Amino acid sequence: MRRTSIRDHAWLYPILSLVLAVGILLAFGLTWWHALAVTALLGCPLVVLWGLIFSWSQPEPGSELAPETDGVTIEWIAPFYDRLCTLLGLGRAFRRQILEVAALKAGERVLDAGCGTGVWTRLAAEAVGSSGQVIGFDPGPTMIAIARRNAAREGSRATFELAAVEELPFEDASFDAALLSLVLHHLPAEVKRSGLKEIGRVLRPGGRLIVVDLDQSNSVLSRIVLWPLSHIGSSADTFDGKIPIYLREAGLKPVTVEGQWRKSLTFWRAMKPLSSIASVETPFK
Ligand SMILES: C[S@@+](CC[C@H](N)C(=O)[O-])C[C@H]1O[C@@H](n2cnc3c(N)ncnc32)[C@H](O)[C@@H]1O
């Protein structure tokens, strides 16, 4: 277990800010040398100060210890995560489509695995109403701190916990539905396997898992834009279309494709069989 804070990354924000300042000056027509000189002489102190104030103004994670995971957490992006999603076209409409596929009903108990800043978790909490319950979890302390702050601001009933999908602090068969949105490509193969088994354990028989993630893309544009990701260890197999194989291997079936988002993300639904003796497939090579 470890305890990290956004302030551990404080050094990163002044550097990002300086790069941004040089970029803006270049866009205004200055030469490289002039842009670097102006940033260094005039902009540096202000930009460094802004970067430090920015990182110190982020919510401080509580005293809970963060779980160790081999999954890729993106703590340093947490303060910008929601804006980045909107910029990438993953705003409210995207979250609403997930909600449609999940078809949540009033009174259901729902898990948002790897919830990040909890945007969908809060929408799901509205959908299940006061008789239901939605819990989001993530191993990133800053993500969880931001999720809790935003839920408190909106008066949302969603709650958040620090946890990793490979070791869930929840009872067997205690959820009607679970979501893994944009998480599987952050997990190495072994963590994908153990995480999906854990989700299968906490889903009730007949419960459903909704997965949204990268897939074998049909669109040339998204193949070009996402090309670097297809070469990173944890995401390469998602580009090879292996998510349904992992789901079935964890005993979650049938697996159905429920839609796509802009020809680059696929929505799957995988069921936990009603029979308690779910057949678990042999791992693929
Ligand atoms: C791209 S974000 C997706 C966040 C959110 N689900 C969404 O749709 O916006 C990926 C998230 O996966 C989380 N993650 C990484 N390793 C994990 C693990 N072992 N268990 C659960 N979540 C993990 C990261 O901390 C990060 O918040």
Side-chain angles (χ1 to χ4, degrees), residues 19-30:
V19 172
L20 191 68
V22 172
I24 290 171
L25 291 172
L26 286 174
F28 273 98
L30 269 73

Side-chain angles (χ1 to χ4, degrees), residues 14 17-18 21 37-53:
S17 309
L18 287 173
V38 171
T39 306
L41 292 175
L42 302 176
C44 234
L46 282 178
V47 164
V48 168
L49 194 66
W50 177 84
L52 288 173
I53 290 172

Side-chain angles (χ1 to χ4, degrees), residues 69 71-74 81 85 94-95 112-117 137-140 143 163-166 181-183 185-187 191:
T69 178
V72 180
T73 57
I74 43 173
Y81 183 73
C85 283
F94 168 65
R95 307 288 170 188
D112 186 4
C115 62
T117 55
F137 74 84
D138 199 285
M143 287 290 191
V165 71
E166 54 270 42
S181 162
L182 307 176
V183 175
H185 71 273
H186 282 245
L187 310 179
V191 182

Side-chain angles (χ1 to χ4, degrees), residues 36-110:
L36 287 172
V38 171
T39 306
L41 292 175
L42 302 176
C44 234
L46 282 178
V47 164
V48 168
L49 194 66
W50 177 84
L52 288 173
I53 290 172
F54 172 78
S55 54
W56 278 88
S57 68
Q58 296 307 311
E60 175 71 346
S63 54
E64 300 149 272
L65 291 170
E68 287 287 358
T69 178
D70 288 332
V72 180
T73 57
I74 43 173
E75 285 289 271
W76 64 278
I77 261 183
F80 314 106
Y81 183 73
D82 291 347
R83 281 188 203 103
L84 187 67
C85 283
T86 310
L87 206 70
L88 295 173
L90 303 173
R92 286 253 150 179
F94 168 65
R95 307 288 170 188
R96 294 240 166 249
Q97 185 164 338
I98 303 178
L99 209 53
E100 244 170 64
V101 171
L104 301 181
K105 295 182 216 58
E108 284 193 315
R109 196 157 187 264
V110 180

